[in-house]
Structure formats: C-alpha cells, structure tokens
C-alpha cells in the first residue's frame, strides 16, 4: 500500500546559487541591483508559501513488477521504490499568471525545489534501505515516459499528480515520477 511523506519547509529549500543559475544568472557576468535582489528574495519566500510539497511512494518486490517498469541498469535489485513528488498546483497557477520576471524566477526556484525535495526523500530512503541504484525517472534511458501513467495509476494509486496516458506528461508541472532499486530486501 502506498505511503505519503510531507516534508518540512527546510527539506525543500534549494540553494540560492542553483536557483539563480537556473534563472540565468551565471557567475559574475550579471550585476544584480538591489531592486532585483529584493525580487529574487521575495520570489524565494513566496515560493515556500505557495508550495504544497508531497511525496507518495510504494516499495515493491521486483519479481511482481512488469519488465517494462524495470530499467536495465537495475539488474540485481530485489526491491524498487516508486514515488511521485510534487510542489502542488498553486506554483503552476502563479507562474502562468505572473509577469515575465516573476514567472521566470519562480519557475527556476520551483525546478530547483522539486530537485531538493527528491534529494531529501532519496536520502531518507537510503537510510532505510541501504545500497541502491541511482534515482531514475521514466523517459530516460530504457523506460518509456508513458510508463508514468502506469506507475501513478497502478502502483501509487494517487491523485497528487495527473499523467497524460498518451504522452506520459505530468501535471502539475513541478512534479516528478522516480524510482530507486534496492539490492537488499
């Protein structure tokens, strides 16, 4: 049966330099004036207010899973944890309805934040399960992105994200489907 993890705010906070790099501020080539610094900081804080981070996960024995859900790189694993993570719909709505600067900054912040959430959750799983594979998402390497639909519908049985069955695209946009294989179990 799937479980739910709701992180604390500090567990999803991205490093500011990564947020700025993703927003296009590379090194010292851009001078950031005080007004822009204030906007950057306000977006960071507002992103934390808008976020409704949540992870739904399920760890299953590999022998009950369809081969189409097991990456070749997971050879030898005994268990696989599948998880869907999201920051919620409010971020998407705000990005879609803001001016270009705020939308760009919040989009960059949210991209780094979903990665921070996934990294935090990944670390928690590794403390529990020990040695595992890299974190993997359908659409990379040998697992079709359309498998996102099967994972959400059949293994996670959740509505925190919606997946287009034909394309595998997830909404809200700042969401991911991931898996990690475990060698002991």
């Amino acid at each position: 049966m799937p479980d739910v993890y709701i992180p604390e705010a500090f567990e999803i906070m991205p490093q500011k330099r990564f947020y700025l790099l993703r927003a296009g501020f590379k090194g010292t080539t851009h001078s950031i004036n005080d007004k822009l610094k204030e906007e950057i900081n306000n977006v960071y804080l507002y992103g934390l207010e808008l976020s409704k981070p949540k992870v739904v996960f399920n760890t299953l024995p590999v022998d009950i899973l369809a081969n189409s859900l097991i990456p070749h790189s997971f050879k030898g694993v005994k268990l696989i944890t599948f998880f869907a993570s999201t920051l919620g719909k409010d971020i998407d709505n705000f990005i879609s309805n803001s001016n270009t600067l705020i939308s760009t900054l919040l989009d960059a912040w949210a991209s780094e934040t979903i990665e921070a959430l996934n990294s935090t959750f990944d670390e928690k799983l590794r403390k529990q399960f020990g040695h595992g594979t890299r974190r993997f998402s359908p659409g990379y390497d040998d697992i079709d992105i359309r498998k996102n639909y099967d994972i959400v519908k059949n293994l996670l049985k959740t509505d925190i994200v919606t997946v287009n069955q034909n394309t595998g695209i997830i909404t809200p946009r700042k969401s991911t489907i991931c898996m990690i294989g475990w060698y002991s179990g």
Side-chain angles (χ1 to χ4, degrees):
M1 192 67 172
D3 289 308
V4 176
Y5 174 71
I6 309 231
E8 299 289 329
F10 74 89
E11 294 178 290
I12 68 165
M13 294 173 70
Q15 290 186 27
K16 199 169 190 182
R17 69 184 178 106
F18 293 138
Y19 155 45
L20 292 175
L21 281 170
R22 189 174 292 258
F25 297 97
K26 298 186 185 344
T28 58
T29 59
H30 292 90
S31 176
I32 301 175
N33 64 38
D34 289 340
K35 184 166 176 43
L36 185 54
K37 280 182 192 172
E38 184 178 339
E39 288 293 337
I40 288 167
N41 291 332
N42 286 341
V43 165
Y44 194 106
L45 294 173
Y46 199 60
L48 287 172
E49 287 178 34
L50 286 171
S51 292
K52 308 285 185 285
K54 185 184 266 189
V55 178
V56 174
F57 63 101
N58 199 359
T59 301
L60 300 163
V62 73
D63 58 356
I64 69 165
L65 298 169
N67 285 337
S68 62
L69 293 174
I70 306 169
H72 289 114
S73 62
F74 281 33
K75 185 177 176 148
V77 302
K78 293 183 175 36
L79 301 169
I80 297 178
T81 300
F82 294 89
F83 66 92
S85 59
T86 189
L87 299 181
K89 297 175 188 169
D90 293 347
I91 295 267
D92 282 6
N93 293 337
F94 198 83
I95 289 170
S96 296
N97 294 304
S98 294
N99 68 44
T100 303
L101 174 62
I102 301 301
S103 293
T104 301
L105 290 172
L106 189 57
D107 184 75
W109 180 89
S111 293
E112 289 302 321
T113 299
I114 194 71
E115 180 56 31
L117 170 58
N118 289 341
S119 292
T120 295
F121 188 67
D122 184 313
E123 288 174 24
K124 287 187 177 307
L125 289 172
R126 290 180 194 284
K127 285 179 184 167
Q128 179 181 350
F129 291 104
H131 181 59
T133 64
R134 65 187 170 101
R135 186 172 8 126
F136 183 92
S137 291
Y140 294 98
D141 203 16
D142 59 335
I143 303 297
D144 191 315
I145 193 170
R146 293 172 292 186
K147 291 300 176 186
N148 282 339
Y149 181 82
D150 297 332
I151 292 167
V152 169
K153 182 176 186 225
N154 301 320
L155 302 179
L156 298 175
K157 300 176 184 182
T158 184
D159 63 357
I160 68 163
V161 296
T162 303
V163 179
N164 180 305
Q165 187 173 4
N166 297 319
T167 65
I169 302 298
I170 310 161
T171 54
R173 281 186 24 214
K174 299 308 176 182
S175 303
T176 59
I177 308 298
C178 301
M179 59 180 88
I180 302 172
W182 307 107
Y183 293 103
S184 58

